[in-house]
Amino acid sequence: MPLELKEQDNLSIIKLSGRLDVHYSSPLEKEIDAIVTNKPENNLIFNFQEVDYMSSTAIRIFIHLKKELEEENRKIKLCCMNKIVDEVFKITGLTSSFEIFPSESAAIESFK
């Protein structure tokens, strides 16, 4: 699963695609940790538009990341959730725990 990163102002915008499953969770977590470490001033936006599947292992990564960033007074926002990802967040009750935006531009704008 490729991870696409772009930087804008003090934001790291991470576009995910493919399957977020148990096989990709460990490499995904390492890549995200590297982004968080290398850009300690940045807030994060995750774009889920091209995600085909999301396992509970992947959900754990985002829950842990949210807690970690909050301790550092940083934020994580999610955007472009397709039906599959939206359903996973609804079933797990996490829609109220994360700020979720319909578009990447709306998520970016929310930091201004």
Side-chain angles (χ1 to χ4, degrees):
M1 176 204 153
L3 177 147
E4 195 178 304
L5 172 67
K6 64 182 177 181
E7 305 285 335
Q8 182 176 328
D9 301 321
N10 285 344
L11 297 173
S12 293
I13 303 165
I14 302 162
K15 187 173 184 179
L16 305 168
S17 63
R19 295 179 60 85
L20 298 179
D21 59 20
V22 69
H23 301 293
Y24 188 72
S25 291
S26 183
L28 174 64
E29 193 165 23
K30 287 177 185 172
E31 287 184 65
I32 292 170
D33 285 345
I35 294 166
V36 169
T37 301
N38 293 332
K39 296 289 185 176
E41 70 283 353
N42 280 14
N43 291 304
L44 276 68
I45 294 175
F46 284 91
N47 181 325
F48 288 91
Q49 185 172 2
E50 296 179 10
V51 173
D52 300 329
Y53 174 80
M54 190 165 187
S55 72
S56 58
T57 308
I59 292 274
R60 180 196 55 79
I61 293 170
F62 293 99
I63 293 169
H64 174 75
L65 181 61
K66 183 178 189 308
K67 289 178 184 176
E68 178 184 341
L69 291 176
E70 285 177 346
E71 290 173 4
E72 299 172 4
N73 292 320
R74 297 164 69 186
K75 294 188 180 199
I76 176 176
K77 298 187 182 188
L78 314 178
C79 70
C80 305
M81 288 186 156
N82 60 36
K83 244 182 165 173
I84 294 164
V85 177
D86 185 55
E87 191 66 26
V88 170
F89 273 80
K90 283 180 181 173
I91 289 170
T92 57
L94 291 172
T95 52
S96 60
S97 298
F98 288 89
E99 290 185 71
I100 301 170
F101 296 87
S103 68
E104 191 174 291
S105 59
I108 293 167
E109 189 65 30
S110 72
F111 281 104
K112 296 180 180 177

